[in-house]
Amino acid sequence: MDQEQESRYSVKSRIGDLAFFGGTPAFEDALHVGRPNIGNRRKFDERVHDILDRKWLTNAGIYVKEFERRIAEYAGVEHCIATCNATIALEIVIRALGMAGEVIVPAFTHVVTAHVLQWLGIIPVFCDIDARTHTIDPNQVDRLISSRTTGILGVHLWGRPCDIEALSDIAKRRSLKLVFDAAQALGCTYGGRMIGSFGTVEVFSFHATKFLNSLEGGAIVTNDSELARKVRLMKNFGFAGNDSVECIGTNGKMNEVSAAMGLTNLESVTDFISINRRNHKQYQDGLAGLDGVALLPYQEERSCNYQYVVLEVDESKTMLTRDQVMRILHAENILARRYFYPGCHRVEPYRTLYPNAHLHLPETECVAARVLTLPTGQVITPRIISAICNIIRTVIKNAEEIGKLLQGMPAN
Ligand SMILES: *Cc1c(COP(=O)(O)O)cnc(C)c1O
């Protein structure tokens, strides 16, 4: 998006200015949530050339090894095992820890957090969240533990760490494994310590949409040397050496080009954080004082990657539903997303397997109906955010009238 197009963003002050009601869309090109952050291209190109020259594309190449060292260093953890993605990493970890029976998991997360359990024949027991933090509620966890429970799979949603202290206490007291899905939480801290070394083990994702991407990729991080050795074997078919297979395994390896991308982007994390932070602050200022819409705040005393701008639309105050706000933004080419909607318990196979799960998930249901994530990251400039905030303000200020106009229109 060039300066010229940006300077054309006009201020929208009336309902008729909104694209949904006949105005010109604010953006010619769609603004997506989760456009990748990309570091120094020349460095990436050089690394890729080097990989091709060496003719060593995967299997513990030098770039993967360096990436593992750098991630371990950055996250302040002893062992890092890079993988092809976080999904396989979680499956390997769960299997390596011998988790079985039931595992407690939040219902408000990427569906894959439930899938990895179900895929391994483990029952995901859906736990409610704390509506203020969007992370698993430790008080509920305690009540869901049964004789079949073998572990807790917490999620640092939006990069906000779960209540690690309370969960660690429960896990210790009830002799449960504690695994953290830290897919979204690289670069975030808890109690002054980087996410990466909490629980038994944590898993990062380096998917294209995540804070730091390696095209696709993931990592298992832990201070447990025994576990580290085991998952390293398991991600490589169980091979301990040529002709020597020690255990069951899968193919969870990261390739060299992914590692090159990860390393290149890791060199720019400080820039990524400051851009995300600047964007988040601007959204916060731009939407301040509006009744019924608010950004989920990041705690300033914690470091964070600010990768998600999470708007909560409180229908009882705005008179407009989150979905109505979303439709109006989409008409402007602002492709805001209802992330983790409608909750794991409301999609297949869980909806059919556990039809009554929603009964004990009131906070999940409520938050899932309110959340709208807004575009941020490297490609989103201050001018774009001004234009988005202007549109949201115009929508909320005219909510009552817009609500009347929308009545009688089909929901989609
Ligand atoms: C993205 C994500 C995953 C999966 O990561 P992949 O690398 O895409 O497999 C797992 N859990 C959460 C919470 C995620 O956001």
Side-chain angles (χ1 to χ4, degrees):
M1 199 147 324
D2 55 30
Q3 290 301 87
E4 221 164 280
Q5 192 189 336
E6 279 199 34
S7 62
R8 280 193 270 122
Y9 302 149
S10 54
V11 173
K12 299 195 176 215
S13 49
R14 295 167 306 120
I15 292 177
D17 297 335
L18 298 171
F20 191 84
F21 298 103
T24 311
F27 301 97
E28 245 167 69
D29 302 321
L31 298 177
H32 294 272
V33 173
R35 275 286 166 88
N37 292 321
I38 298 173
N40 187 321
R41 286 183 188 207
R42 201 180 40 76
K43 286 293 284 281
F44 176 64
D45 286 347
E46 279 172 16
R47 286 175 165 135
V48 172
H49 281 295
D50 185 50
I51 289 165
L52 299 180
D53 288 345
R54 289 168 176 277
K55 309 223 177 315
W56 191 309
L57 307 182
T58 185
N59 289 16
I62 59 165
Y63 287 96
V64 165
K65 284 184 185 160
E66 186 182 350
F67 184 57
E68 289 179 337
R69 265 198 310 275
R70 291 282 157 89
I71 289 289
E73 190 182 22
Y74 182 68
V77 60
E78 246 169 86
H79 307 282
C80 171
I81 297 93
T83 59
C84 55
N85 58 50
T87 305
I88 295 288
L90 283 164
E91 287 169 11
I92 291 172
V93 155
I94 290 163
R95 187 150 185 160
L97 289 172
M99 289 161 99
E102 295 176 359
V103 169
I104 297 168
V105 64
F108 191 63
T109 174
H110 191 305
V111 69
V112 72
T113 318
H115 280 349
V116 293
L117 296 167
Q118 189 76 29
W119 192 265
L120 294 170
I122 298 169
I123 295 176
V125 175
F126 293 121
C127 184
D128 212 357
I129 52 167
D130 180 333
R132 288 165 312 156
T133 60
H134 295 190
T135 56
I136 191 165
D137 180 353
N139 298 318
Q140 303 297 323
V141 170
D142 232 353
R143 296 204 275 157
L144 294 172
I145 296 172
S146 79
S147 57
R148 293 172 301 279
T149 310
T150 56
I152 303 166
L153 177 51
V155 182
H156 304 312
L157 206 75
W158 315 125
R160 286 178 177 72
C162 330
D163 187 343
I164 293 175
E165 205 179 324
L167 293 172
S168 303
D169 282 350
I170 297 171
K172 198 167 168 200
R173 189 157 38 80
R174 311 291 295 257
S175 304
L176 300 174
K177 307 282 189 218
L178 180 57
V179 177
F180 290 115
D181 176 344
Q184 305 176 359
L186 186 82
C188 305
T189 64
Y190 178 86
R193 224 169 91 198
M194 277 284 187
I195 290 297
S197 59
F198 294 100
T200 316
V201 55
E202 304 202 69
V203 169
F204 292 128
S205 170
F206 308 121
H207 180 256
T209 60
K210 299 299 199 286
F211 168 63
L212 180 115
N213 85 82
S214 64
L215 308 172
E216 290 256 14
I220 299 166
V221 283
T222 182
N223 284 334
D224 182 332
S225 308
E226 190 86 11
L227 179 66
R229 179 173 184 275
K230 193 162 178 187
V231 299
R232 197 173 278 290
L233 292 176
M234 287 176 90
K235 70 114 182 38
N236 186 28
F237 312 110
F239 277 119
N242 287 349
D243 314 322
S244 152
V245 177
E246 272 194 28
C247 61
I248 190 168
T250 184
N251 183 356
K253 298 187 299 292
M254 176 179 274
N255 68 69
E256 287 286 273
V257 174
S258 279
M261 184 68 166
L263 276 171
T264 306
N265 288 334
L266 193 56
E267 286 160 358
S268 293
V269 272
T270 320
D271 294 340
F272 297 162
I273 290 178
S274 55
I275 291 167
N276 279 349
R277 186 182 187 149
R278 175 203 71 196
N279 287 354
H280 195 271
K281 176 94 174 64
Q282 199 194 338
Y283 271 117
Q284 209 153 30
D285 294 346
L287 299 173
L290 273 185
D291 213 21
V293 297
L295 287 198
L296 185 64
Y298 283 100
Q299 294 120 314
E300 279 299 326
E301 73 277 11
R302 289 180 179 169
S303 311
C304 195
N305 61 32
Y306 297 90
Q307 177 71 358
Y308 299 91
V309 176
V310 182
L311 186 74
E312 293 192 70
V313 181
D314 180 350
E315 185 183 343
S316 69
K317 291 191 184 135
T318 54
M319 315 299 289
L320 289 174
T321 64
R322 180 270 316 270
D323 290 1
Q324 288 171 329
V325 174
M326 184 177 74
R327 285 166 68 198
I328 294 169
L329 294 181
H330 282 193
E332 304 288 353
N333 253 332
I334 304 164
L335 303 186
R337 295 278 307 272
R338 315 182 277 195
Y339 268 170
F340 316 124
Y341 173 82
C344 297
H345 62 298
R346 288 214 182 251
V347 299
E348 295 299 352
Y350 314 106
R351 180 170 59 181
T352 300
L353 289 171
Y354 320 111
N356 295 321
H358 64 279
L359 295 175
H360 67 267
L361 299 169
E363 305 296 323
T364 299
E365 296 263 298
C366 178
V367 170
R370 277 204 308 239
V371 159
L372 200 54
T373 57
L374 300 174
T376 186
Q378 217 174 24
V379 295
I380 303 298
T381 62
R383 278 168 194 263
I384 293 176
I385 297 175
S386 295
I388 294 175
C389 290
N390 163 236
I391 290 163
I392 295 174
R393 294 191 81 88
T394 299
V395 170
I396 300 303
K397 281 187 183 151
N398 295 286
E400 213 173 313
E401 207 178 327
I402 290 176
K404 282 185 199 141
L405 289 170
L406 288 174
Q407 250 176 19
M409 283 195 190
N412 263 307

